[in-house]
Amino acid sequence: HRSLHASGIDQWGQTVVRSSSASTSWHVSQHDVEGDDALKSPTVNLTNFRAATLVFNHWYNFDDCSDPTFDPDGGVVEITVDGGATWTRINPVGGYPYVLDDICSNPLVGQPAYAHDGGLGSAFVPAVFDLTPFVGNTVSVRFRAGWDCGNCNSNEGWYIDDVAVYSTDYVSWVSASPT
């Protein structure tokens, strides 16, 4: 986790409250003002690969006022190929489970997102994202949580752990002779 860092005036930080492995994870806490919080990764060089995958474990508990049809707060994963000038939401394998409602100016309104509760009790669950459309670039990913203007009760927010980018591809400058 140490290579990730919180950016902006958000509430992302390391915590020992919950983790998937070791003793810490990254966490953004639920708050009752509209806005968003982003945790940005360092750059990842994908220039010599034909395929790549982002994986991480997470646990989340976003505000929903105990209504399974109410999706006011949630989180998405985004990627940049231009040093952060623009960000694009990327979808997990299987898609996001919810679409965020148009409530109180949440910056992620109308987007597919993680919302409600994720995880099995206190267990973190894996998330997998295909980064193959972005190979050939140097990228950064960010975890972005969006909030509406209020809370019905105290929710924990979003925990991220064990972030990795990998490829089972070969590096193009490696060759074997004879074949």
Side-chain angles (χ1 to χ4, degrees):
H1 333 273
R2 295 180 192 190
S3 60
L4 294 177
H5 66 278
S7 61
I9 54 170
D10 58 47
Q11 297 188 32
W12 279 100
Q14 284 191 293
T15 182
V16 297
V17 173
R18 292 182 183 275
S19 65
S20 175
S21 66
S23 61
T24 64
S25 67
W26 286 94
H27 173 244
V28 63
S29 55
Q30 183 81 32
H31 49 81
D32 60 359
V33 295
E34 69 270 3
D36 61 322
D37 302 290
L39 176 68
K40 181 183 162 218
S41 77
T43 59
V44 178
N45 186 340
L46 300 177
T47 57
N48 292 319
F49 297 94
R50 294 183 301 175
T53 303
L54 166 69
V55 295
F56 60 89
N57 291 319
H58 64 147
W59 187 97
Y60 52 91
N61 174 236
F62 289 107
D63 188 31
D64 61 10
C65 297
S66 300
D67 180 346
T69 66
F70 185 50
D71 311 314
D73 299 333
V76 299
V77 179
E78 298 172 322
I79 194 166
T80 184
V81 296
D82 58 14
T86 59
W87 291 90
T88 302
R89 187 190 72 247
I90 56 177
N91 296 315
V93 173
Y96 288 102
Y98 302 98
V99 174
L100 297 183
D101 293 332
D102 188 359
I103 304 294
C104 285
S105 303
N106 179 336
L108 301 180
V109 66
Q111 292 192 37
Y114 295 115
H116 298 281
D117 297 329
L120 307 169
S122 62
F124 280 51
V125 294
V128 178
F129 292 76
D130 181 9
L131 298 184
T132 301
F134 305 98
V135 297
N137 295 285
T138 297
V139 303
S140 289
V141 296
R142 73 178 178 184
F143 303 92
R144 186 173 172 210
W147 318 103
D148 71 349
C149 62
N151 264 342
C152 293
N153 52 28
S154 178
N155 297 85
E156 284 190 56
W158 197 11
Y159 296 83
I160 305 290
D161 204 356
D162 306 322
V163 179
V165 174
Y166 72 90
S167 179
T168 57
D169 202 4
Y170 65 89
V171 178
S172 60
W173 52 265
V174 174
S175 62
S177 181
T179 304

